[in-house]
Amino acid sequence: MFVINTLGGNPPFFTPSNFDYMKSFILLIWIIFLFACTSKTIDGNIYFTEKDLPPVIELAGEKYSIPEILNPRGLMIKDGLAIIFESKNTTDDKFHIIDLETRRHLTSKGIDGLGPGEITVISQIEDVGEVNKIWVEDPEMRIFSKFDLRDSSKLAEEQVKSPETMFFLTASTWVSESTLLANMADGWDKYIHVTIEGDTLALFGNWKDMIANKELPNGYKEDELDANLVSNVFQGALKGSPDKKHYIKSGIHVDYIDIIDLENYSIKTIYGPTREIPEFNIGYWDGYQMPDFGKNPNERYLDVYPGENSFFALFFGKTYKELGSPENLNRVFEFDYSGNILNQYQLDFPVYGIEVDEKNRAIYAVTVDRDPNLVRFDY
């Protein structure tokens, strides 16, 4: 309701002649505000800052109490079960199977060793769509091991070696029962789509794009850095959605996320909340350049979960020593596959790996506090 001065003096501010002008002015201010609070696309890449993030949604975690979980590193959800794997150790029971409805520990699997059916460490667990089956990746032995979630054996029922290619593969994820998507470390090609037998289906992306026109630490120039070093600076989690339609790569040292389209072998990169490449010195290992981030590097995106229509990225943004600190806890950013920021969730537990039950709107994670365990956040 507008109140118009009818007692003389100055003319009313709102009149038919200037009311349309005011509406246009308010619309203009709203548009400026809207664009100031959204990410920006430059040279095909998407950039956002802390100011572009949506309002924080605070999530209260409900922590489980499962004594078999000792030092968890990550997890996956399949058919109402949480499969939680431990950090590197020299003991058996590399992962635990938890019934999410009853909150009961069903069994633990994984025998430590180098023999048939044995594993040494787990970097990722994935579902390729087989009933009651999961695949475990052992980066030290460079093998993938298939386990049955319902049988009584602690050994893998099948093992296959990482594909033998002319490239050194790092992070990888299953595309189908016979093919993988992986990063490469000893050449400028960024991604390889490859069969288990080692046949290359496609090479795409270029590590040079990640440092082109960027300010590098210590005054380094682009031509001083080799592919092995650059690929290691930009390492991180690589995962596919359960329906194998979407693939996401995130940076553990750099604030970036790749949205990968395997249909046309294209990449859309998101940078944020910061754009900086962290400080490092050039070191050498076996003749290859390696980045030395120092004794207490800053860690950025710890894990990702690609869902059906959106994906979730676990953001840390602190040094590794602060991982279990109760201050400035992890956040989860949710994006759509066009790169738009949908939600920002603040967690109330320090966590490492995440998995999302989209049907029941629950984020599961493993905590890194004094009593690490499984935790659920309803969103």
Side-chain angles (χ1 to χ4, degrees):
M1 173 180 179
F2 299 122
V3 179
I4 299 178
N5 178 11
T6 60
L7 301 177
N10 293 328
F13 182 71
F14 291 104
T15 67
S17 62
N18 63 16
F19 184 62
D20 288 340
Y21 168 80
M22 285 303 301
K23 288 196 297 183
S24 299
F25 179 75
I26 293 171
L27 179 60
L28 176 62
I29 294 297
W30 173 249
I31 291 173
I32 292 173
F33 174 79
L34 180 65
F35 274 88
C37 295
T38 56
S39 55
K40 302 167 181 64
T41 301
I42 304 172
D43 296 331
N45 298 319
I46 299 170
Y47 296 86
F48 75 94
T49 68
E50 289 283 352
K51 294 181 180 180
D52 301 318
L53 290 168
V56 171
I57 300 173
E58 307 235 357
L59 302 183
E62 184 180 0
K63 192 175 179 182
Y64 287 52
S65 180
I66 300 169
E68 288 81 4
I69 298 174
L70 302 177
N71 188 21
R73 174 62 180 80
L75 75 161
M76 72 161 292
I77 304 295
K78 178 180 173 71
D79 299 333
L81 304 176
I83 301 95
I84 300 169
F85 61 92
E86 298 278 354
S87 299
K88 179 176 172 59
N89 55 46
T90 57
T91 62
D92 296 337
D93 296 340
K94 300 293 187 181
F95 65 90
H96 315 286
I97 303 172
I98 312 299
D99 186 305
L100 290 174
E101 183 176 357
T102 64
R103 301 186 172 218
R104 289 178 51 244
H105 169 262
L106 300 181
T107 188
S108 298
K109 291 174 178 279
I111 300 297
D112 183 76
L114 304 177
E118 299 175 342
I119 56 177
T120 59
V121 65
I122 299 174
S123 62
Q124 197 154 289
I125 297 180
E126 293 194 276
D127 178 11
V128 190
E130 300 168 282
V131 177
N132 296 330
K133 310 289 185 181
I134 58 168
W135 282 92
V136 168
E137 181 176 359
D138 184 334
E140 293 189 354
M141 293 179 65
R142 296 181 56 76
I143 61 170
F144 298 92
S145 301
K146 183 197 287 190
F147 287 85
D148 190 312
L149 297 177
R150 298 294 183 178
D151 70 10
S152 59
S153 174
K154 290 180 179 287
L155 293 170
E157 66 176 33
E158 181 182 347
Q159 291 181 307
V160 296
K161 291 184 178 180
S162 180
E164 296 291 338
T165 73
M166 61 183 296
F167 311 101
F168 183 79
L169 307 185
T170 54
S172 61
T173 186
W174 288 89
V175 174
S176 69
E177 293 183 19
S178 59
T179 64
L180 295 165
L181 173 67
N183 277 138
M184 293 176 291
D186 54 351
W188 288 110
D189 289 308
K190 192 174 181 182
Y191 293 104
I192 182 172
H193 187 193
V194 63
T195 68
I196 284 295
E197 292 77 21
D199 297 323
T200 298
L201 302 177
L203 300 172
F204 62 103
N206 195 316
W207 289 118
K208 288 183 179 180
D209 294 339
M210 307 302 291
I211 59 172
N213 304 315
K214 301 283 198 316
E215 183 177 346
L216 301 175
N218 294 321
Y220 293 136
K221 305 299 182 184
E222 292 179 30
D223 57 7
E224 295 182 89
L225 309 182
D226 69 16
N228 191 74
L229 182 142
V230 175
S231 67
N232 275 277
V233 169
F234 290 92
Q235 280 305 316
L238 173 62
K239 292 185 176 181
S241 60
D243 59 11
K244 302 303 177 186
K245 293 181 179 179
H246 306 286
Y247 297 87
I248 299 294
K249 166 81 176 181
S250 64
I252 187 70
H253 301 297
V254 182
D255 289 2
Y256 89 97
I257 298 169
D258 276 350
I259 303 173
I260 303 161
D261 185 345
L262 275 190
E263 288 189 2
N264 55 22
Y265 294 114
S266 64
I267 305 166
K268 181 180 295 183
T269 302
I270 303 171
Y271 291 97
T274 66
R275 302 188 188 186
E276 292 80 15
I277 294 177
E279 288 290 322
F280 65 82
N281 291 307
I282 298 177
Y284 289 88
W285 180 81
D286 199 24
Y288 289 96
Q289 287 185 355
M290 291 289 290
D292 180 358
F293 295 106
K295 295 181 178 179
N296 194 27
N298 202 293
E299 299 200 343
R300 312 307 291 176
Y301 288 102
L302 301 182
D303 202 2
V304 293
Y305 176 82
E308 182 178 357
N309 298 309
S310 65
F311 66 90
F312 300 76
L314 177 62
F315 184 75
F316 183 51
K318 298 187 293 183
T319 63
Y320 182 78
K321 289 183 178 179
E322 299 174 279
L323 185 58
S325 170
E327 303 296 327
N328 189 24
L329 294 170
N330 310 66
R331 291 175 287 167
V332 173
F333 303 150
E334 182 182 4
F335 301 83
D336 65 23
Y337 286 106
S338 295
N340 299 305
I341 308 166
L342 303 179
N343 292 296
Q344 175 187 195
Y345 301 107
Q346 175 67 63
L347 310 184
D348 64 351
F349 281 91
V351 303
Y352 212 102
I354 62 167
E355 188 86 349
V356 181
D357 178 350
E358 294 181 285
K359 180 180 179 181
N360 295 304
R361 295 188 61 80
I363 298 173
Y364 288 92
V366 291
T367 68
V368 286
D369 50 10
R370 292 185 177 181
D371 183 24
N373 221 278
L374 176 66
V375 63
R376 169 178 171 149
F377 304 91
D378 291 318
Y379 68 95

